[in-house]
Amino acid sequence: MESAEAKRVSEPQEEVVVVKCYCCGLAEECTPAYIATVKERHQGRWICGLCTEAIKDENSRSPRKISTEEAMKRHVSFYEEFRMSSPPANPTEDLISAVKQLLRRTLNSPRRERLGDCRPAMVRSKSCFATVGKAQGN
């Protein structure tokens, strides 16, 4: 009787290639077959998964129908503009200010008033376990 180790057939390791995203420059390790599939979808360009989603988003946000090529150009343009922008002078204060604005908007939301009306209805007056015991005759 052969052992499980002896039955295992070793499969050859697939070749892995490092490829860079056309849009953002992110480097990934992928198989040549996967690279070919991605390039086929994007006019011969390697596009990482994150940029692919951003391109889909560009396409869906456009008020008129645009090509994938146009959506890709818009995304690359946005990425370059973002990359060239300078970081905020004081990122800690900017973050605190943004969180403060978010909290104010949340607290002033009309939804908060609607939730306030529901709270008294959710308060329990008695335990439900006492009723269960009486119903069984205990």
Side-chain angles (χ1 to χ4, degrees):
M1 186 156 146
E2 290 183 52
S3 70
E5 291 295 320
K7 287 184 179 181
R8 286 189 191 158
V9 178
S10 62
E11 293 185 26
Q13 284 282 339
E14 281 195 66
E15 179 186 3
V16 176
V17 180
V18 176
V19 65
K20 274 189 171 184
C21 178
Y22 170 79
C23 299
C24 69
L26 175 75
E28 289 186 50
E29 292 181 346
C30 304
T31 62
Y34 181 68
I35 292 169
T37 303
V38 172
K39 283 184 171 183
E40 190 177 296
R41 282 188 229 140
H42 299 288
Q43 296 81 32
R45 298 181 183 114
W46 166 258
I47 309 291
C48 72
L50 188 58
C51 288
T52 298
E53 289 303 312
I55 290 167
K56 286 179 190 175
D57 188 56
E58 279 292 338
N59 229 337
S60 67
R61 288 186 306 134
S62 177
R64 63 177 174 81
K65 178 95 170 111
I66 60 172
S67 68
T68 303
E69 184 71 26
E70 176 64 25
M72 190 182 316
K73 284 179 185 175
R74 289 181 183 188
H75 171 62
V76 170
S77 173
F78 171 80
Y79 175 78
E80 289 297 322
E81 194 176 303
F82 175 76
R83 207 180 70 160
M84 299 307 255
S85 67
S86 61
N90 193 339
T92 305
E93 282 185 27
D94 286 354
L95 176 63
I96 291 169
S97 176
V99 170
K100 196 163 56 173
Q101 271 186 330
L102 179 65
L103 285 171
R104 283 187 180 142
R105 278 191 216 146
T106 304
L107 293 173
N108 292 332
S109 166
R111 216 178 345 167
R112 183 178 184 278
E113 293 167 11
R114 277 187 264 135
L115 286 176
D117 295 342
C118 295
R119 284 194 183 138
M122 297 176 82
V123 176
R124 217 172 47 183
S125 60
K126 297 182 200 177
S127 172
C128 61
F129 294 113
T131 309
V132 172
K134 288 179 184 175
Q136 292 178 350
N138 292 342

